């Protein structure tokens, strides 16, 4: 049983998103991506039979990779297969909890 | 690719927590538990080799089931094995995103 306080872990860097690994087990992986304005997770996909959930914790931007960009605000949750193209673009400082299961 | 807005889905009921199933696949299950003040998810456990993550979206309360109750506020994330006793008690209206992987 482990307790994390995600609000205390905000950290950003100029050279790209700061990826904060929270949990990495055979069950699932959780990472918080911390974006400065304008930073992004480029659209990508993986050839694996897993799914990914992207939950916006703070800030605003867009989910990318679909037919059109989708607005991403606190409480926005995107779920897709990891083999589907997906990405994130931050308009403000933005923090996104990424869950991947099973981990790839 | 599915987009959910968790802020728009808040719903509560007097007879017990309102459990809002978001996603249910072989990869993971996500449910938002919506508590009125004083409502709880009783301490329980399951004999399965999965893990569960409890992320507080809104409101305040406690994570129960451990040696001592742990404070639960927005951004608090508890991760444990489903075979470990775990529960939630709400002090205010409270919304908690529960992720279980693999689903049981």
């Amino acid at each position: 049983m482990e307790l994390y306080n995600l609000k205390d872990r905000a950290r950003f860097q100029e050279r790209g998103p700061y990826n904060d690994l929270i949990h990495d087990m055979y069950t699932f992986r959780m990472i918080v991506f911390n974006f400065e304005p304008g930073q992004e997770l480029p659209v990508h996909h993986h050839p694996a039979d897993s799914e990914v959930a992207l939950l916006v914790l703070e800030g605003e931007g867009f989910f990318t990779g679909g037919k059109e960009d989708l607005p991403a605000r606190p409480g926005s949750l995107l779920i897709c297969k990891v083999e589907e193209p997906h990405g994130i673009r931050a308009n403000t400082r933005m923090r996104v909890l990424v869950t991947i299961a099973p981990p790839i």
Side-chain angles (χ1 to χ4, degrees), chain A:
Chain A
M1 181 173 279
E2 287 289 333
L3 180 64
Y4 306 90
N5 188 332
L6 299 187
K7 292 214 175 190
D8 285 351
R9 300 175 70 108
R11 183 178 150 189
F12 303 88
Q13 60 185 9
E14 284 303 319
R15 64 183 171 83
Y18 177 71
N19 301 342
D20 181 16
L21 180 64
I22 308 289
H23 186 73
D24 195 7
M25 278 281 285
Y26 57 90
T27 51
F28 58 85
R29 182 181 303 134
M30 281 188 163
I31 309 164
V32 176
F33 284 13
N34 299 271
F35 299 92
E36 290 279 23
Q39 290 181 344
E40 61 182 322
L41 171 70
V43 175
H44 67 291
H45 59 99
H46 307 275
D49 192 22
S50 293
E51 289 190 303
V52 60
L54 310 173
L55 174 65
V56 180
L57 300 173
E58 300 170 24
E60 298 194 1
F62 288 92
F63 296 117
T64 56
K67 287 180 192 166
E68 52 189 326
D69 293 348
L70 299 171
R73 292 183 275 262
S76 297
L77 172 66
L78 188 86
I79 300 179
C80 70
K81 297 182 179 302
V82 299
E83 65 188 9
E84 291 180 87
H86 57 284
I88 300 167
R89 189 176 67 247
N91 287 357
T92 66
R93 275 198 168 180
M94 191 182 182
R95 304 182 68 219
V96 180
L97 176 64
V98 178
T99 304
I100 304 163
I104 56 171

